[in-house]
Amino acid sequence: MLRTTLLFVFLLIANLCFAGPDTAAVLKKAVVKKDTVVRSKKPAVIITDTTTLEQRSLDTAALNKYKKLPEFKYEETYNGPSWWTRFWRWFWEWLSQLLGRAGKHPGALSAFFVFLKYFFILAGVSALVFLILKLSGINMLHLFRKKPYSTLAYSESVENIHEIDFEAEIEKAIAVHNYRFAVRLLYLRSLKQLSDNGLINWQINKTNTNYVYELSNAEQREAFKRLTLQFEYVWYGDFLINGEIFKRINALFNTFKSSAE
């Protein structure tokens, strides 16, 4: 009985200590106060930057001083051997290695020197022939080109530009559609015009290149050089041209004829 009484008292005390107020009741009693702070709105003001800028310039004397200092020189110079020297160094090293390997076989070494002997002889003779032909004014490219076919009475080897009626002969060539020969006549007519004006010294055995470099006027020389290339492509290249292509070529020659008058 005593134990029951004590337990009842303990539970009563615990209920009184841990029991809290009703939350809903507390919320009902809460009072929300309005914000009564007055905020003043001031207009925005644009503030102009009135700072004075001071313009500065580089010190020329200091720059020139720094330029003379080796620490500021970034140019790299190559002081080694040139490419020509390196090429010959490589060539002689290669040749020495080749001879060293060939030295183990005397027959191969002897054949190698025989080859070098005839190679240099052939190269020397070729250079001598080329020099003689060049000094003689002979165009070596023309030696291997096929002689073009001509339907006119006279041949290329005996052409004399001062004995040809170019206007009549050009009309004849065009009439039979021999445009290649018509181009040749146009070129010979240009040579006659330059010769009559004293700009070139025409000789039957001269090459076209000789006439090009006899012209002292650079602009006229370049124009005649283009006509020469055009003529050689058509005549010595044995190219077949039609009437449309001939009209364009004829226009070029007529333009040169007007400018050389």
Side-chain angles (χ1 to χ4, degrees):
M1 184 64 181
L2 179 60
R3 292 181 179 177
T4 303
T5 304
L6 291 176
L7 179 60
F8 176 76
V9 173
F10 175 77
L11 292 174
L12 180 62
I13 294 173
N15 186 29
L16 292 176
C17 292
F18 292 101
D22 188 0
T23 304
V26 174
L27 291 176
K28 290 181 181 179
K29 295 180 180 180
V31 179
V32 179
K33 296 182 179 181
K34 296 183 179 179
D35 187 5
T36 58
V37 178
V38 179
R39 294 182 177 84
S40 60
K41 295 183 180 180
K42 296 181 180 180
V45 179
I46 300 175
I47 301 175
T48 306
D49 188 2
T50 58
T51 305
T52 303
L53 299 178
E54 180 182 357
Q55 185 177 1
R56 298 182 181 181
S57 59
L58 298 176
D59 190 351
T60 307
L63 288 177
N64 294 332
K65 178 182 178 181
Y66 290 138
K67 288 180 180 179
K68 298 178 181 179
L69 297 176
E71 293 83 358
F72 296 96
K73 293 182 179 179
Y74 301 105
E75 296 181 357
E76 297 182 0
T77 56
Y78 177 72
N79 298 322
S82 63
W83 66 269
W84 184 251
T85 304
R86 294 197 302 271
F87 167 76
W88 283 110
R89 182 181 298 172
W90 167 84
F91 174 78
W92 292 118
E93 289 178 356
W94 171 80
L95 184 61
S96 62
Q97 293 176 2
L98 181 63
L99 294 177
R101 290 194 297 267
K104 301 178 181 179
H105 306 281
L109 182 61
S110 178
F112 176 74
F113 280 111
V114 171
F115 168 76
L116 286 181
K117 174 183 176 181
Y118 287 103
F119 173 78
F120 284 113
I121 291 175
L122 180 61
V125 172
S126 301
L128 181 61
V129 171
F130 176 80
L131 180 61
I132 294 173
L133 293 176
K134 193 68 175 178
L135 295 177
S136 301
I138 300 175
N139 194 333
M140 296 182 62
L141 295 177
H142 294 172
L143 297 177
F144 303 99
R145 288 171 175 167
K146 183 176 67 174
K147 295 295 182 181
Y149 172 74
S150 171
T151 59
L152 301 185
Y154 48 87
S155 65
E156 175 187 353
S157 60
V158 294
E159 283 173 346
N160 187 337
I161 61 175
H162 299 290
E163 298 177 355
I164 302 174
D165 185 357
F166 285 105
E167 302 306 324
E169 298 297 344
I170 290 173
E171 290 182 2
K172 290 180 183 179
I174 296 174
V176 296
H177 305 291
N178 192 351
Y179 299 117
R180 289 182 59 253
F181 199 80
V183 172
R184 176 172 180 80
L185 291 172
L186 289 173
Y187 186 75
L188 293 177
R189 186 184 68 178
S190 300
L191 289 178
K192 183 179 184 301
Q193 183 181 6
L194 294 175
S195 178
D196 292 342
N197 294 339
L199 300 176
I200 62 171
N201 180 19
W202 180 82
Q203 296 292 334
I204 198 169
N205 59 345
K206 280 188 176 180
T207 64
N208 300 331
T209 306
N210 296 140
Y211 297 127
V212 170
Y213 289 103
E214 285 183 16
L215 297 174
S216 57
N217 185 283
E219 183 177 354
Q220 193 176 48
R221 182 170 60 248
E222 288 300 318
F224 186 68
K225 185 177 181 180
R226 288 192 293 269
L227 291 182
T228 301
L229 292 176
Q230 191 74 40
F231 157 68
E232 290 184 345
Y233 286 149
V234 173
W235 185 251
Y236 296 105
D238 199 15
F239 294 130
L240 297 177
I241 61 174
N242 53 27
E244 189 65 28
I245 297 176
F246 175 76
K247 288 181 181 179
R248 295 197 293 266
I249 297 175
N250 189 26
L252 294 176
F253 278 95
N254 288 333
T255 301
F256 179 80
K257 180 177 181 293
S258 301
S259 63
E261 289 180 350

